[in-house]
Amino acid sequence: MFNVRNVGEGIYWLGSSDRRLELFENAYPVPDGMSYNNYVILDDKTCLMDGIDDAVTRQFMENLDHVLNGRTLDYMVVHHMEPDHCSAIPELLQKYPDMKIVGSQKAVQMIDQFYHLKVDAITVKEKDTLDLGKHKLTFIAAPMVHWPEVMMSYESSEGIFFSADAFGAFGAMSGNIFADEVDWERDWADEARRYYANIVGKYGAQTTAVLKKASAFEIKNILPLHGHIWRKDLNLILDRYAKWASYTPEKNSVAIFYGSVYGNTANAADILSVKLAERGVRDVKVYDVSKTTVSELVSRAFEYSALVFASATYNAEIFDHMHTFLTDLENHNLSNRTVGVIENGSWAPTAGKKINEILANMKNMTVLEPQVSLLSSLNEASLAKLDELADALAAAVK
Ligand code: FEO
C-alpha cells in the first residue's frame, strides 16, 4: 500500500517516481520518467532527509505519514534547495509546525526566495553534526554539486552517505531500489552518465573535491536523491564518478557526430566509421545531431575518448544543431579529448574554422590533422583526406 522500504536500522526510503514527466528541468527528455528519493530516520528524534517535487507530493505525504506512524517530525534536513526536492516544504511546515529545518545558510535563504517563508532553521556548515539519538549526521559542504547551497551528510552508525544529487540517474524506479537488485550496468549506466554529464557535468572540479572529502568516511551505503541506493559494489559507481568528474573517458573509441542538410556530410561520417572499423576500431558510434537529443550527445561525448564533429556550413556558421551541441560541451567543461573535424560547404565552407574556435576554448582538446573539407560531397581528394583522418583516429585510440 505504501511506497516505502527499510534501508537501515530505523531508516526508511520513501519513493516517488513520476512517469508522466516529459522533460526533467523542462530541458532533458526522460522517456522512462524520473525518481525522487526521500529518507526518514526514526530515532529519539525523527528526521526527514529532503522534500520532493510538486508532481508527487501527495504520494510522498502519505508515505511519510505512514512511516512516522503517529510521531511528529522533529527535523527536515535540506541537502539541496532545488524545487525537485523542496516543493513540499510549505505543506510540511503546515502539517508539522514544530519541525526544524536544517540546511546551509544559502539553503535557508533560498527557502525565502522560493516560498517567501522565514523559517526557524538550524543552519549548518562543514563538519557540523546533528544528533538524533543513535544516529548522528555529519555535514559535508558540496557547493555546486549541483547548486551552491548543497550539503551532503554522513550517518556514522551505519556508514550511510546521503549524497544529494550525486550518484543519481534519470528514470523512474520500481521497488528494486538497490543497485544490486537490478542489472545496473546494462539498464542504468547510460542514464546515470546522461544525468551526471548534463546536470552536474560542468562542475567536475567541485565533484572531485567532494569525493575526496567523502573518502575520509567509512561509507557502506550511498543514498542519493535520484536513482538507486548503493549498498554493494560501491566502487563501481565511485570509479565511474571519478572518471566523469575528471573528464576522463570511459571508452577508448570514436564517436562521430554529424550535422548534415542533404546527406553528404552524413555519408562522409558513415564512410569514416567504416574506415575506422577496417582499421580495427571497435564500438564506433555515429550520431545525427539533428535527430539525437543533445543531452544524449553530451553524455556520449563524456563516454568516448575521440570525437569527430562533421558539420555542414549554414549561414556561414556551424550547422545549428551542431553549434548547440558544441556550445553545450564547452559549457559543460568537457576536456581531455582527441578530436577530428570535417566540414562541408558548397561555396564557402567555414564550419571547420568555427568548430576550431569553440574547441580552442576547451581544455586539452587535441585536434587531429588533417581536417577534412568537402565541397558539397566527397570527391577523390577529400576521400583521401578522410583516409588520413581515419589513420590518425585509429592511432589515437589504439
Ligand atoms: Fe535533483 Fe539539483 O536537483
Side-chain angles (χ1 to χ4, degrees):
M1 176 172 179
F2 294 98
N3 204 17
V4 167
R5 282 192 71 180
N6 183 226
V7 296
E9 203 185 324
I11 305 181
Y12 296 86
W13 164 87
L14 314 183
S16 300
S17 278
D18 183 356
R19 295 181 179 81
R20 299 170 77 171
L21 185 68
E22 293 285 341
L23 296 174
F24 182 68
E25 292 188 359
N26 211 15
Y28 306 106
V30 279
D32 297 323
M34 194 68 196
S35 68
Y36 305 94
N37 298 328
N38 308 94
Y39 307 95
V40 174
I41 302 175
L42 301 181
D43 205 322
D44 296 343
K45 299 288 187 185
T46 58
C47 183
L48 169 68
M49 312 301 267
D50 297 287
I52 195 76
D53 190 78
D54 248 347
V56 284
T57 294
R58 190 169 71 101
Q59 176 74 61
F60 161 76
M61 293 300 283
E62 283 178 16
N63 291 337
L64 178 61
D65 190 51
H66 169 72
V67 164
L68 287 172
N69 194 23
R71 293 183 70 178
T72 190
L73 200 49
D74 296 306
Y75 297 112
M76 175 188 184
V77 170
V78 175
H79 287 108
H80 183 17
M81 246 317 286
E82 194 163 3
D84 57 330
H85 307 295
C86 285
S87 291
I89 285 179
E91 203 165 333
L92 284 162
L93 283 168
Q94 262 189 353
K95 187 157 186 187
Y96 307 103
D98 296 329
M99 175 184 90
K100 283 258 193 276
I101 286 182
V102 182
S104 65
Q105 182 72 50
K106 274 200 176 71
V108 174
Q109 182 188 323
M110 284 185 185
I111 294 173
D112 192 19
Q113 287 172 207
F114 275 106
Y115 305 116
H116 312 294
L117 288 171
K118 303 226 181 296
V119 295
D120 181 16
I122 300 172
T123 56
V124 287
K125 53 188 182 333
E126 179 87 5
K127 292 186 181 161
D128 282 355
T129 57
L130 181 68
D131 195 340
L132 303 173
K134 186 174 172 235
H135 299 89
K136 289 176 182 53
L137 298 171
T138 302
F139 294 97
I140 303 157
M144 300 320 295
V145 186
H146 133 239
W147 278 16
E149 86 299 354
V150 172
M151 306 282 292
M152 298 179 184
S153 62
Y154 177 73
E155 196 288 312
S156 49
S157 74
E158 306 201 39
I160 291 175
F161 182 40
F162 292 99
S163 64
D165 268 348
F167 308 109
F170 290 133
M173 283 200 300
S174 71
N176 289 131
I177 60 169
F178 295 100
D180 57 274
E181 292 180 338
V182 297
D183 191 333
W184 188 86
E185 190 67 63
R186 186 191 65 192
D187 297 333
W188 291 88
D190 280 346
E191 284 300 74
R193 184 194 321 99
R194 189 166 71 90
Y195 168 89
Y196 173 84
N198 287 279
I199 304 294
V200 193
K202 181 180 179 67
Y203 305 109
Q206 291 86 341
T207 305
T208 300
V210 84
L211 289 176
K212 191 171 172 219
K213 282 198 282 186
S215 68
F217 297 96
E218 195 191 343
I219 296 173
K220 295 180 187 153
N221 306 272
I222 299 173
L223 275 57
L225 289 177
H226 305 281
H228 291 87
I229 294 173
W230 291 83
R231 62 182 174 184
K232 290 184 185 169
D233 305 323
L234 267 57
N235 278 342
L236 176 61
I237 188 72
L238 288 168
D239 288 352
R240 210 60 62 92
Y241 257 68
K243 277 204 169 80
W244 295 337
S246 60
Y247 305 99
T248 304
E250 284 167 70
K251 193 168 278 192
N252 201 26
S253 182
V254 184
I256 304 169
F257 306 94
Y258 70 78
S260 185
V261 182
Y262 290 109
N264 292 301
T265 312
N267 191 40
D270 277 326
I271 290 172
L272 177 63
S273 78
V274 169
K275 291 180 182 300
L276 289 167
E278 286 174 346
R279 285 160 175 76
V281 182
R282 295 167 60 89
D283 266 338
V284 176
K285 292 261 194 195
V286 178
Y287 294 97
D288 180 344
V289 298
S290 300
K291 175 82 185 290
T292 305
T293 172
V294 72
S295 68
E296 174 70 14
L297 301 173
V298 168
S299 175
R300 294 302 176 185
F302 269 69
E303 182 182 17
Y304 275 75
S305 62
L307 315 174
V308 175
F309 302 109
S311 178
T313 301
Y314 206 85
N315 290 330
E317 263 291 351
I318 303 166
F319 186 58
D320 285 10
H321 295 281
M322 180 65 84
H323 188 264
T324 301
F325 172 40
L326 282 162
T327 50
D328 232 20
L329 293 182
E330 183 188 357
N331 291 340
H332 285 79
N333 284 335
L334 186 79
S335 41
N336 309 328
R337 295 299 188 273
T338 300
V339 176
V341 176
I342 301 171
E343 68 173 2
N344 196 351
S346 293
W347 59 95
T350 49
K353 177 172 169 280
K354 302 281 182 175
I355 290 172
N356 276 281
E357 284 170 10
I358 295 176
L359 294 171
N361 297 328
M362 299 162 71
K363 278 189 202 149
N364 198 22
M365 303 294 271
T366 306
V367 183
L368 296 175
E369 292 295 338
Q371 300 188 30
V372 182
S373 190
L374 277 61
L375 275 170
S376 303
S377 66
L378 277 167
N379 59 21
E380 213 171 299
S382 52
L383 203 55
K385 291 288 181 197
L386 206 60
D387 262 317
E388 287 179 48
L389 178 59
D391 286 339
L393 284 162
V397 300
K398 254 209 171 82

